[in-house]
Amino acid sequence: MSNFVYENKKEISSAFIDSSVRLGTAQTTVLVQDNVTECFGSFGCDGVTYKKKYNAFWVFSKAKFKFFSRPAWTDFVTVKTFPINNSGIRTNINTQIVDSTGKLVANVKQEACVLSFENHRPVKLSNVGFPAEGFPEPVLDEPFERFPSDFTEDEFVYEQVIRYCHIDMSHHMNNCEYVRLALSVFSEEYLLAHELTQMEVHYTGESKEGQTLRIYRRDSTDTPGKTYVHIKEGDRCVFECCFLLQL
């Protein structure tokens, strides 16, 4: 096995379930976020190291999730994370989650780059010691989608003021919090009745405490069960995503 693969066994505790008493969607993003951090730390390329050595930080711009099953509260899963390439400026990372019986729970692909704290410009991965070769075979390497951007006020659902509870160590809205806001365009009843099979998220801007986010929803007319969500701060799009649910 490649030195870049990081495996972690996790219990689906109460912190990782939703109202179905199974692994939740937003909670899955937290599970993946934690494992990616530990994975990069295992070969000295995590955000803490980059801050100290290079005054730089990781930014995750896109992620695609494919869901196959949902383990229940108190079940155990194995989370395996590894980078799959180095394009010079960006890397793609895969995470695979399987349950205690070996059944596939989810495959995830993420896109990330490193920015300088000084000027917020991209830093070459070769300049921060990120691996250039020897990557494992991907479990998910599909291209990311292009989402519609012409949302209108007729598609507005609700707004949310960013509070302290939404902020992470970067002093901006945490990526997982955007997913929670996007999921809230659905009712609990609808999500309990329809299984999510795929989610793709694009982080397109930063937002800070005190700003007001406006959340928009559009149901696809071409693909049944597909819904686009657009989140804006003023005139800026800061987050966009799509969900595919079984009808």
Side-chain angles (χ1 to χ4, degrees), residues 44-171:
C45 293
D46 58 292
V48 173
T49 301
Y50 278 9
K51 175 67 171 83
K52 291 178 180 179
K53 293 181 66 174
Y54 307 109
N55 197 31
F57 63 102
W58 282 104
V59 171
F60 288 80
S61 52
K62 296 178 182 178
K64 183 188 289 284
F65 293 74
K66 290 201 168 184
F67 300 100
F68 303 94
S69 62
R70 295 180 64 193
W73 187 19
T74 73
D75 286 349
F76 282 86
V77 295
T78 298
V79 188
K80 180 169 66 175
T81 297
F82 49 92
I84 61 172
N85 58 35
N86 176 339
S87 66
I89 293 294
R90 295 180 179 85
T91 182
N92 287 284
I93 308 102
N94 273 185
T95 297
Q96 185 169 74
I97 306 173
V98 298
D99 69 15
S100 57
T101 69
K103 185 178 181 180
L104 185 59
V105 173
N107 283 333
V108 184
K109 175 187 175 183
Q110 295 171 281
E111 177 185 271
C113 66
V114 176
L115 300 184
S116 165
F117 268 112
E118 184 177 348
N119 56 24
H120 278 221
R121 294 182 63 83
V123 177
K124 290 183 178 179
L125 295 180
S126 60
N127 292 345
V128 291
F130 193 78
E133 56 185 15
F135 300 110
E137 287 296 314
V139 296
L140 179 60
D141 199 20
E142 295 179 5
F144 293 106
E145 291 188 45
R146 186 179 182 88
F147 297 152
S149 59
D150 57 339
F151 284 75
T152 68
E153 288 305 306
D154 290 338
E155 296 165 304
F156 170 74
V157 181
Y158 75 105
E159 65 181 25
Q160 173 70 53
V161 177
I162 301 173
R163 303 298 187 188
Y164 166 75
C165 62
H166 302 122
I167 303 301
D168 62 17
M169 64 182 181
S170 69
H171 309 294

Side-chain angles (χ1 to χ4, degrees), residues 27 29 39 52 55-56 93 131 148 155 159 178 182 187 190 214 224 232 247:
Q27 293 85 347
T29 67
C39 175
K52 291 178 180 179
N55 197 31
I93 308 102
E155 296 165 304
E159 65 181 25
Y178 287 109
S187 68
Y190 186 85
R214 291 176 61 83
K232 296 177 67 175
L247 297 183

